[in-house]
Amino acid sequence: MNRDLMIKNLKSKSQEWDVIVIGGGATGIGTALEAVTRGYKTLLLEQEDFAKGTSSRSTKLVHGGVRYLAQGNISLVMEALRERGLLIQNAPHLVKNLEFVVPNYVWWRGPYYTIGLKIYDMMAGKLGFGSTIHISKKKVLKLMPNLKTEDLKGGIIYRDGQFDDSRLAINLVQTFTENGGIAINYCKVTGLLKNEAGSVEGVSAIDTESGEFFDIKSKAVVNATGVWADDILKMDDPKTKKTVMPSQGVHIVLDKCFMEGKIAMVIPKTSDGRVLFILPWHNKVIIGTTDTMVENASLEPRAFEQEIDFILETAGRYLTKSPQRSDVKSIYAGLRPLVAPSRDDEATKEISRGHKIMVGISGLVTIIGGKWTTYRKMGQDTIDKIAMVANLDSRDCITKTMSIHGYMEDVDFDDPLYFYGSDISHIKLMATEDDEFEKKLHKDLDYINAQVIWAVREEMARTVDDVLARRLRALFLDARAAIEAAPKVAEIMAKELNKDEVWIHQQVEKFKSIAKGYSLP
């Protein structure tokens, strides 16, 4: 993918687009891919970088949601389990079948959780990941030697999916462009174009890199901006009521010594009634998440002290080595775009994670809610609606069985390059072109310089943050190491993008400012 070429193609295509999708997160990318694969001329615009917001800050799970099952939200669980099964088939290089242990410290909870999780398995049907089994205390400790033994009765093993969120987003954008779509990051929609009847017929946008403005005509416009959906809705109608309520989820990242092995753990009921996951990921351990309502959306949300304390304290109740603030390698926060509740007193943990599609009087189509696992189905539902609203030719959905860019079977998940899938060979070949290319980016990071070059040339990375946060996951794994690697990344990018020393300095300082929020003082 080449951004300059995308801008050039945008300028050269004077004809009307069929669909413009605003928002380059999971929902927007999934919607754009659904549109272009049905043969509609589709443009995807993102104000920052792809997956800059919520879509790079998840718990890294592709799952039906055992919590939603406990809440009785059967339809959402069944939909998510179907999509989980489709996703591991379509992107086996990014999604893996992961074992989870639910430790049991109260005797009656063993049968209770076993029955519940067997129902979870049955709901997945032919797309299931494996059967739930009850295991002894001895087996639990063999699998999880870092677990506290006092009062431990046994445990339950079940299976669910794990993935790399922003890597999936990039591969989906690549799939979108390979199917004829135009995708542009750092292109902010500033207004909606309307005809004399008041119907939406396109968007006004600015290329924030060059400052160039565009008026772009389209038969249909989709607002898929997540927690910023209300901003676009107010462009359409300033009197629009609030439709999205952001809920913040925080995760901390620790060294793998806190939970050895390749198995995950679920704490099914924390002190406030939520679920806490402890997961292996990229040779580190992720613990999360929280669920805290916030008033305003931010591109760089910050963890609250009480959220940090909650995660550390809860994990410390179960792990033999209680994590301290000094052990945290990185901490990240993401905002869930929850559908605003009908009751003011409704707790965020009880609000449905299902999606909702709205059509305004102007014809603007807005998709809100949802979760990463169901991104494809959200896109399918949205384009089904768009076809009716914009009177587009009815065409069949093909994304259920469509391979995503990078598709490769028999992936070695121990290979530091595994998440590139079929692109691994190209990166390894690039690394042989120059001795500098194959050198490690940082002694504490499993990345080489060639991966930075690849991110610029093939994945539309434009900033140091794009590379270290989303093309590579350094900022999410070790904030200190990422900060130390920033000058090197900026130098490599400057050569590729033909930038000067001023740009390098600005990029490093901007990244340091961002990265401060990922480490604890």
Side-chain angles (χ1 to χ4, degrees):
M1 296 190 299
N2 183 285
R3 187 178 186 277
D4 292 338
L5 182 60
M6 297 287 174
I7 293 288
K8 182 179 179 181
N9 287 340
L10 173 62
K11 292 179 179 178
S12 65
K13 293 180 182 294
S14 58
Q15 78 274 22
E16 184 180 51
W17 295 87
D18 290 321
V19 181
I20 293 176
V21 179
I22 312 170
T27 308
I29 298 169
T31 300
L33 182 59
E34 184 68 36
V36 79
T37 53
R38 294 194 194 188
Y40 303 138
K41 290 177 293 206
T42 309
L43 173 65
L44 173 65
L45 300 177
E46 163 56 41
Q47 67 173 337
E48 290 285 332
D49 184 34
F50 304 116
K52 165 71 175 178
T54 306
S55 298
S56 61
R57 304 161 187 267
S58 73
T59 311
K60 322 306 178 192
L61 294 179
V62 179
H63 63 147
V66 291
R67 182 177 73 189
Y68 313 138
L69 179 62
Q71 293 172 357
N73 198 336
I74 304 301
S75 60
L76 174 61
V77 175
M78 291 193 69
E79 178 179 85
L81 286 173
R82 285 195 299 269
E83 292 303 313
R84 180 193 70 172
L86 295 176
L87 189 50
I88 199 170
Q89 291 179 9
N90 297 337
H93 63 297
L94 286 176
V95 182
K96 62 181 176 180
N97 189 327
L98 183 66
E99 282 189 330
F100 290 73
V101 168
V102 183
N104 173 28
Y105 289 88
V106 180
W107 72 267
W108 61 265
R109 287 181 179 168
Y112 174 78
Y113 290 128
T114 301
I115 293 170
L117 288 166
K118 281 188 175 293
I119 294 172
Y120 187 70
D121 295 340
M122 288 188 291
M123 290 170 68
K126 295 180 180 179
L127 295 174
F129 276 32
S131 299
T132 293
I133 59 172
H134 188 274
I135 59 174
S136 66
K137 174 180 177 179
K138 183 178 179 180
K139 182 67 180 292
V140 171
L141 294 175
K142 184 178 180 181
L143 292 170
M144 307 196 74
N146 301 80
L147 194 63
K148 286 184 177 179
T149 61
E150 186 178 357
D151 295 327
L152 181 65
K153 310 299 181 185
I156 303 97
I157 289 181
Y158 77 99
R159 292 180 175 271
D160 231 324
Q162 185 179 44
F163 78 137
D164 189 312
D165 46 15
S166 70
R167 289 303 314 174
L168 177 58
I170 295 304
N171 281 172
L172 287 169
V173 175
Q174 289 171 310
T175 309
F176 169 70
T177 59
E178 288 162 1
N179 280 273
I182 299 295
I184 305 174
N185 51 359
Y186 297 101
C187 192
K188 180 181 176 63
V189 170
T190 57
L192 301 174
L193 303 179
K194 295 186 177 182
N195 59 24
E196 293 182 356
S199 298
V200 171
E201 60 177 10
V203 302
S204 296
I206 181 173
D207 176 357
T208 58
E209 286 193 5
S210 68
E212 187 172 4
F213 284 91
F214 302 96
D215 282 343
I216 312 164
K217 293 291 187 72
S218 177
K219 295 175 184 175
V221 175
V222 180
N223 172 16
T225 54
V227 292
W228 291 276
D230 286 336
D231 293 347
I232 304 298
L233 284 168
K234 287 186 182 300
M235 290 181 188
D236 185 35
D237 180 1
K239 297 180 181 178
T240 298
K241 293 182 179 180
K242 187 175 183 179
T243 63
V244 175
M245 186 177 72
S247 168
Q248 178 162 289
V250 169
H251 302 78
I252 66 170
V253 180
L254 306 171
D255 275 326
K256 64 178 181 179
C257 65
F258 283 88
M259 195 182 72
E260 299 166 2
K262 298 181 180 180
I263 198 163
M265 185 173 85
V266 181
I267 300 170
K269 194 169 184 179
T270 61
S271 59
D272 64 351
R274 294 187 170 92
V275 174
L276 196 75
F277 293 96
I278 303 180
L279 312 156
W281 191 66
H282 288 309
N283 216 27
K284 292 286 191 294
V285 173
I286 292 178
I287 307 180
T289 180
T290 57
D291 208 343
T292 308
M293 186 175 68
V294 295
E295 284 296 320
N296 300 308
S298 168
L299 281 169
E300 287 292 343
R302 296 289 181 249
F304 300 121
E305 285 297 319
Q306 61 266 33
E307 292 177 304
I308 299 168
D309 292 341
F310 167 77
I311 293 174
L312 291 173
E313 190 273 333
T314 303
R317 293 183 185 180
Y318 293 85
L319 302 178
T320 54
K321 183 181 179 182
S322 297
Q324 307 299 314
R325 291 176 67 93
S326 58
D327 297 315
V328 176
K329 307 295 288 186
S330 182
I331 182 164
Y332 65 93
L335 301 178
R336 306 177 188 89
L338 304 184
V339 178
S342 56
R343 303 194 313 271
D344 291 338
D345 61 345
E346 192 167 0
T348 61
K349 65 181 178 180
E350 302 298 336
I351 298 172
S352 172
R353 264 51 173 180
H355 60 276
K356 179 179 180 181
I357 300 172
M358 304 180 296
V359 181
I361 295 175
S362 68
L364 175 69
V365 175
T366 299
I367 169 83
I368 57 176
K371 58 209 257 332
W372 240 123
T373 305
T374 57
Y375 84 91
R376 192 211 62 81
K377 184 61 165 61
M378 292 165 68
Q380 179 183 343
D381 291 350
T382 303
I383 296 305
D384 285 345
K385 181 71 71 174
I386 280 286
M388 292 188 293
V389 171
N391 197 29
L392 301 177
D393 292 340
S394 180
R395 296 169 185 173
D396 293 336
C397 166
I398 66 169
T399 54
K400 290 181 181 178
T401 57
M402 186 181 69
S403 297
I404 293 166
H405 180 96
Y407 178 96
M408 185 173 76
E409 297 177 347
D410 301 321
V411 178
D412 178 8
F413 286 104
D414 291 325
D415 184 343
L417 298 175
Y418 82 83
F419 51 82
Y420 291 105
S422 59
D423 286 331
I424 291 176
S425 58
H426 301 302
I427 295 170
K428 289 183 175 179
L429 180 62
M430 177 186 289
T432 66
E433 296 175 3
D434 190 306
D435 290 342
E436 285 294 316
F437 291 2
E438 62 183 357
K439 290 182 178 179
K440 287 194 71 173
L441 190 60
H442 186 279
K443 63 181 178 62
D444 294 332
L445 299 172
D446 287 330
Y447 306 117
I448 59 176
N449 294 340
Q451 290 173 264
V452 179
I453 298 169
W454 181 265
V456 176
R457 293 181 184 177
E458 303 294 335
E459 297 177 345
M460 221 183 291
R462 309 297 292 180
T463 71
V464 169
D465 181 51
D466 294 350
V467 172
L468 287 173
R470 289 170 294 282
R471 306 308 184 276
L472 311 179
R473 307 315 306 271
L475 182 57
F476 288 75
L477 297 169
D478 190 330
R480 177 194 56 79
I483 290 171
E484 292 174 358
K488 182 64 176 177
V489 172
E491 290 174 9
I492 295 171
M493 294 185 73
K495 291 180 181 178
E496 289 294 314
L497 296 171
N498 194 28
K499 302 294 185 178
D500 58 19
E501 290 292 331
V502 173
W503 184 88
I504 292 174
H505 175 75
Q506 290 174 340
Q507 281 293 305
V508 171
E509 291 306 308
K510 184 175 181 179
F511 180 74
K512 286 181 178 179
S513 177
I514 292 171
K516 285 180 181 178
Y518 291 74
S519 58
L520 296 178

